[in-house]
Amino acid sequence: MEEFVRQAIHDGFTSYGISSHAPLPFPTRWTLDASAVGEYLAEIQRLKNTYADQIELYAGLEIDYLDAQHNPASDYFQTLPLDYRIGSVHLLQTPKGEIIDIDTPPEIFRTNLERHWKGDLQYVILAYYEKLMKMIDRGGFDILGHADKISFNAQSIDPHVTQSSWYQDTMRTYFQEIAQRGIMVEINTKKYIPYGVFFPQQEHFATLLARGIPVVVNSDSHRPEAINSGRPEALRALSETGFHHVMELHQGQWMAVPIELD
Ligand SMILES: [Zn+2]
């Protein structure tokens, strides 16, 4: 984490948040283990103190909505001393009860779709948004993570799927619900440099603006050298859509900060 902080200072960030994937009730190779959460928070506190005169640091977690028990609103996550919480869906349950990650490379998504859902793309997409709607209904988080992450893999199966009327209807209801709850939406830039795509995809930016949904630009980088990757491009795209502000944490408060383009 210290490497990320040093990179953030080097890149001119004035505030920076760290949000590991939160523990799940089973081990994975991509989540923080529950037994390491204390150490994780203590290390962020140490970094806050060490770099206090150079950058504001914030402790977050990206928390999965797994089911009614394990989600951002769970007592466990609500009582952790976090500065912010990101709510995300990565995992879907199959009809047989297996838990499958949909946030994978497209080839793996294709294999899983065939193996666990008999290739029914519409079913899987609707199950993904249904789960997100449940997460929004329960709340307990500040930022909705990569709001349409499944769209990239779905388009690798059917390039026109996001233009279908049922998909567009789903997105309309979804963003309406987000706006009503006053949740911030992440503009996730992780795949912008390699694939030219933001999450949510750029075609939804106008909807976010029209509905008054505040946005936070996040790189979801997983690597120190990528913490600013795609961020200038996202700010430009937001500005071209008509956004004048993005949300940032400063002095412990979420603030609407004017977009400054280079
Ligand atoms: Zn994620």
Side-chain angles (χ1 to χ4, degrees):
M1 291 194 282
E2 190 153 14
E3 285 177 46
F4 284 78
V5 171
R6 287 201 181 143
Q7 185 73 45
I9 293 167
H10 176 266
D11 288 350
F13 281 69
T14 51
S15 72
Y16 187 70
I18 294 174
S19 26
S20 168
H21 284 288
L24 283 162
F26 44 82
T28 76
R29 56 166 189 83
W30 52 278
T31 51
L32 190 65
D33 198 83
S35 66
V37 169
E39 194 186 342
Y40 169 74
L41 294 173
E43 174 62 2
I44 296 178
Q45 189 56 53
R46 185 188 72 82
L47 295 169
K48 283 184 182 183
N49 298 339
T50 306
Y51 295 96
D53 57 346
Q54 294 172 76
I55 193 166
E56 292 179 33
L57 295 175
Y58 295 99
L61 280 176
E62 182 185 1
I63 307 165
D64 263 79
Y65 185 94
L66 181 66
D67 53 31
Q69 282 74 46
H70 183 103
N71 59 65
S74 307
D75 285 348
Y76 172 72
F77 292 119
Q78 288 301 306
T79 47
L80 283 180
L82 296 165
D83 298 314
Y84 67 100
R85 293 165 184 80
I86 301 174
S88 295
V89 170
H90 306 93
L91 305 170
L92 292 184
Q93 278 85 346
T94 70
K96 286 182 182 164
E98 296 139 304
I99 294 170
I100 303 298
D101 191 351
I102 57 87
D103 189 5
T104 61
E107 322 73 78
I108 296 174
F109 180 79
R110 179 181 290 271
T111 306
N112 283 334
L113 181 67
E114 291 301 329
R115 185 178 296 161
H116 300 289
W117 288 284
K118 301 194 178 93
D120 192 341
L121 183 61
Q122 181 174 355
Y123 177 88
V124 170
I125 292 172
L126 291 175
Y128 171 76
Y129 287 111
E130 196 179 308
K131 207 161 184 184
L132 281 158
M133 293 287 265
K134 283 184 187 164
M135 182 176 84
I136 291 162
D137 189 47
R138 291 211 171 221
F141 59 96
D142 308 284
I143 305 168
L144 180 69
H146 43 62
D148 63 351
K149 195 70 195 264
I150 204 168
S151 63
F152 183 75
N153 278 341
Q155 285 169 326
S156 77
I157 307 285
D158 173 2
H160 306 295
V161 71
T162 59
Q163 299 311 314
S164 58
S165 60
W166 61 264
Y167 188 94
Q168 303 263 326
D169 288 347
T170 303
M171 296 310 277
R172 200 170 303 120
T173 315
Y174 180 52
F175 286 121
Q176 191 178 323
E177 209 52 41
I178 291 167
Q180 276 174 6
R181 309 282 168 143
I183 297 165
M184 291 180 276
V185 163
E186 166 185 85
I187 304 299
N188 182 300
T189 67
K190 186 181 186 179
K191 288 205 189 294
Y192 188 76
I193 296 302
Y195 300 112
V197 62
F198 299 117
F199 302 105
Q201 295 205 22
Q202 199 170 338
E203 65 188 78
H204 301 297
F205 287 11
T207 306
L208 299 174
L209 181 68
R211 292 198 181 277
I213 297 171
V215 296
V216 187
V217 178
N218 289 340
S219 65
D220 191 4
S221 64
H222 292 222
R223 290 177 293 123
E225 64 274 20
I227 62 168
N228 213 14
S229 175
R231 191 162 164 278
E233 292 85 350
L235 292 172
R236 184 164 299 280
L238 287 167
S239 173
E240 283 167 3
T241 306
F243 276 90
H244 298 296
H245 298 88
V246 289
M247 302 304 288
E248 292 182 9
L249 257 178
H250 289 288
Q251 278 96 48
Q253 302 290 328
W254 285 104
M255 295 180 184
V257 176
I259 293 175
E260 280 175 32
L261 300 175
D262 297 329

